Structures are given as C-alpha cells and as structure tokens.
Amino acid sequence: MSTAPARRWTRDRVERAVLGVLRWVVIAVLVVATAFPFYYMVMLSLRDIQDLILRPGALLPSEITIGTYREVLASEESGGQGFLTFIRNSALIAIAAVVLTLAIAIPGAYAVARLRFFGRRQVHFLFLAVYLFPAIVLAIPLFVLFTMMGLRGSLVGLVLVYISQTIPVTAYMLRNYFETVPAGVEEAAAIDGCGRLATVWRVTLPLSKPALMATGLYVFMIAWNEFLFALLFLVERREKWTVSLGLSQLAGSIEIPTTVLMAGSVVLTLPIVILFFAGERLLTEGLTAGAEKG
Amino acid sequence: MTPARTFPRRSRTLRGQESRAGLVLISPTLVITLVVVIVPMAWAIMLAFQDARLINIRYTGLLGNYTLGNFAYVLSEPGFWGSLATTLVYTVAGTALSIGGGLAAALALRSGFRGRTLVRASILLPYVAPVVAATFVWEVMLDPRYGIANVLGTRLLGWDDPVAFLTQAEGTFLGVDVPLALLTVIAFEAWRYFPFAFLFILARLQALPRDLDEAALVDGATPVQRFAHVTLPQLGRVIALLAVLRFVFTFNKFDDVYLLTGGAAGTEVVSVRVYNLLTARGDIGASAAQALVLAVVLVVFLTIYLRFFAKEGP
C-alpha cells in the first residue's frame, strides 16, 4: 500500500487509479448493453405505431397506450392476435413438463445418489451425451416419427421432448443435492419403520425443497423459452402455438404493427424474468455448483 | 423393510435388494431417454444412409437400400464447406467474446458496491429472456427504417445511410470490408451468453482463498500483476470448462441465427442448413447426413481440445 510518504506516481498508484475508473466504465457499459434492449421493448410496447414511425429516435412515448396489449392478447375472432391462447398453451406445456420431469428424475437421482446398482457410474455419461448432443440431429427423426404417429400438432409430443431434454440436468442437480442430505437421517427413518419410498417422501424430499424448486424453475424456463421443437411440431396449427412460436411466426408479417408485437414480447418475457428473479439464488447456485471447486 | 426370507426367490441379500431398487428407480429416466433420445439418435444415423424423403418415408424400410449418396451429395454441395467455415467462425468468436465479457463483468462486480444486486440482475437479463423475444428486440433495434441503432447512427454518428445489419452480407467498417450480418449474429451471441460465463467465473472468484492475493499484496505486486499471476491462473480451469461448454452449445446453435437472419446474408451455420434441408426440401436423408457431419466435426474438435488440455492441465 502506498502509505509511504511520497505522493509519487508509482506503477501501483497509476494502475489503481486507472482500474478504479475502468471498473465503473465497464459496469456502466454492461448495464446499458443489457438493460437498454429491455427498456426499449417495454417502451415500444406502450406506444402507438404512428408515434414510432414519426419519432423513431424518441426514448419516451409521447403518450402511453395499452391498446397494443389489448390487441395482442385478444382472440383472433375479436380482431386480436390470440396471445392469451398461446399463453395458455405455453403454461400447460411448461407445467406438465415440470411435474413429469420431477416425477421421473427424483427416483432416478435418488437411486444414483444413494443406491449401489449395476451401471450406476455409467449413467453420468448417458446424461452428458444427451446434454451435449445437437438438438437439430434429434429433431430430424422426432419430426419424422411424430409425423408418422400423428403426434405433430399435439402438445403431448412436445412435452415428451422437453422431459427428455431437461432430465439430464435435473437429475444431475437433484443427485448433487440428495448427496448432501445426511444418510443418517434416512437411516433413522428406516429404523422407525419407514420403507424406502416412505423415507424418500417424508424425509429426503422435504429436506431437498430448495433443490426441487430450483430444478422445477429450470424446467419451466426451458419449456417456456423453447423454440426449435415447437416450430417443428406445432407450426401448422395456430391454435396450438406457444408464446415463443406465436411471436416468431407473427414477427415476419407486415400487417401487425411492431409495437403490438413488442407487447407480445413483454408478455413472453415478463413471466420468465419474474420467476427467475424470485428463485434466482436457488437457480444460480444449482447452475454453478461445482465451479467453486475449480 | 420386508424381511428377506419372505421372498427367498427375489431377494437373497440386502445388497441385491438395493441393487434392484436402484434399477427400478432409475428405469423411468432410462426409458424416456431411450425412447426420445437414444432410439431417435440411432434412427437419425440410419436415415443418413438411406434415400429418405418426407414423401416416401413410409415406404423406407429399416433394412436395406443403404447408400453413401447423401454424404456424397451433402459434401459436394457448393455451400457446405462455406457453411462449415461460417459455423466455426461464429462458434470461436462467440465463445471467446462471451467468456471475455463474462470475465470482465465478474471482475467489475467482484467486490461489493451500492446497487450491485441491481447491476447483477440487469446483467442476467439477456440470458434469462426467451430467445424469441431477445432476437425480436434486436431486429427492431437494428431495423434500417425505424430502428434506434440506425436513427442514432445517422443523426449522431454521421452515417451516410442506414445500415441493414441483419440482411447485408458485406459492409465496410473504417474502410475495411467486414462480413456484417455474421458479425451482428456473433455480437448477439456474445451479448446473450456472457452472463452464463459471468455466473461461473464470479462463483469461482468469490470462492478463491484470500491469502494468496494478500501475500502478493504484501510483496508489493500491483493490481495488474496480482490479476495476471495470482487470480488468472486460479481461474484457468473454470475458463477451460466454459470454453468447452460454450463451444459445444454455440456449435450446435440453431435458434439464435435462424431467428435473426434465417441463415441469409452469409450467416448460414450448419444447423440452419439442416433445418432448411429438412423442411424446405423434405430431404430427410440429406439433412440427417448433414447433421451427422456436424456431430462428427464437433467430436473431432472436442477430442483435439481435450487432448491438448489433458497435456497442459494438472
């Protein structure tokens, strides 16, 4: 430290001064780069299209309208874009994916965490392979298969795909958490007469609530945000579109004002942002678990 | 627990019981992975060797009629090698920029200040927001007619004409010809995924033991010296992990490029090509062959990378 009497410009002082300024420059640039597009999204969604065309550089709406939201949410018959239906589809798919993924992954993760069985160590490689495999490769046979089985255009097929896509990470995160639950607590329950399933249900799961919430949120976000499989399976049937698919399909059309579609973007983004920040601590800890160890 | 002797045929030992319980509990996971991932994967490989089109798929048997025709066709198509090169440039640049951005953000936010929580939340927004919404906002911001980027550029920065960032393959920047749309897509990739690197690097930074840094401080090391010789070496492994993860994800990326440009203007990465072959031409065999080439190239790169790092690493 430069507690030395001199006020000379040592290398240390120069670096401290420069880095001290640079740090705030970086923070300012990052905030503008990340927050501005979302501010722009909300701001445009509250403007009339005429206002945007006349004053494209304006950063504040001259007057605020919520007519854009009314138009984007209203059903097609009443002159809107039918986003309310899309929201219902997205929510249905996402909730079904969360419930089913957890129902399947919990026993699997518990088995890998606690029980010794043949192939226990190899399961990781399977998960890793699924996680890293290009989705587009998988998309081809699933597209063909679902076409042949008539599952194209049904939400069930999509839910199946989302389950398979999220199970690797879900099982991995849950297993890590189950391993932190002391085995002694489970043994105590077993001695008190609980069977294996009762032990999991009454002891392990209540203790793992943070991990269950984090993984549930993760699955919900993946299912809500997903685009490729929704595009492949649902594109021909408008009444089955998810919010993501709906926005992407309508974005190309010239008849729909950009500001109305911006309202659609807000409708698509807001639930996810709220959910994420509600469970943020849980989620980021789950995501980066293990990074601390290097 | 059921006493073992009640069912002498089924469970002889506790160990055997445990093993069977484990298999029973893991089987739903395995079954769904098998049905929705492994079997389709195998089928995709078979389709790549068959003359399968969407119109004749019902008559394409599982056996027989295997051919290398799809690969010959895919590899000899004029756009293929260019597309592979585009994918590589996109992947390497996107990976490097997102990790660099994440590192800068993590260093800037390492120590606390008022409002850090808010800044952190803001930084996470691009990663959390749905890809369709994020690409749509970018499209509108970069729109040549009323997008804010062009309005500011022409009014304040003195651009002669609005720039069509997403539909123009070539542009000039400071007198140099640049692949404009490709750079825009790379910028989007870096913008959207630097928060991912930020989260990993920040978690590692905050878990670093303080004593090394303090020892260097006592020895009179300047901030840059401490970063270069103390902090950065300790981040080596997390950055290597991020490099692998981001490389794989970006290499396979479909959504971002497809939504921004549809693969036009010199941004046709391989996964977008696969999609176009599949939906526009209905050529299942060729698209499967193309996708398989993508996967093989990825595996080759990963192997080279891991070999290289296995030698360097601890």
Side-chain angles (χ1 to χ4, degrees), chain A residues 124-146:
Chain A
H124 295 308
F125 292 106
L126 183 68
F127 287 172
L128 197 68
V130 172
Y131 191 47
L132 297 181
F133 208 71
I136 193 79
V137 179
L138 215 54
I140 299 163
L142 288 176
F143 179 75
V144 176
L145 186 71
F146 284 20

Side-chain angles (χ1 to χ4, degrees), chain B residues 200-259:
Chain B
F200 275 77
I201 296 173
L202 188 65
R204 180 78 186 113
L205 268 180
Q206 289 177 334
L208 288 184
R210 285 258 163 227
D211 45 358
L212 273 178
D213 201 45
E214 278 160 12
L217 190 65
V218 171
D219 286 346
T222 68
V224 171
Q225 285 172 331
R226 273 184 285 140
F227 172 71
H229 300 294
V230 180
T231 311
L232 195 57
Q234 297 184 80
L235 295 178
R237 290 185 65 185
V238 73
I239 290 177
L241 171 72
L242 278 169
V244 174
L245 285 179
R246 290 270 27 113
F247 189 91
V248 173
F249 292 149
T250 316
F251 201 79
N252 297 333
K253 200 92 221 154
F254 166 80
D255 304 358
D256 307 46
V257 177
Y258 177 80
L259 286 164

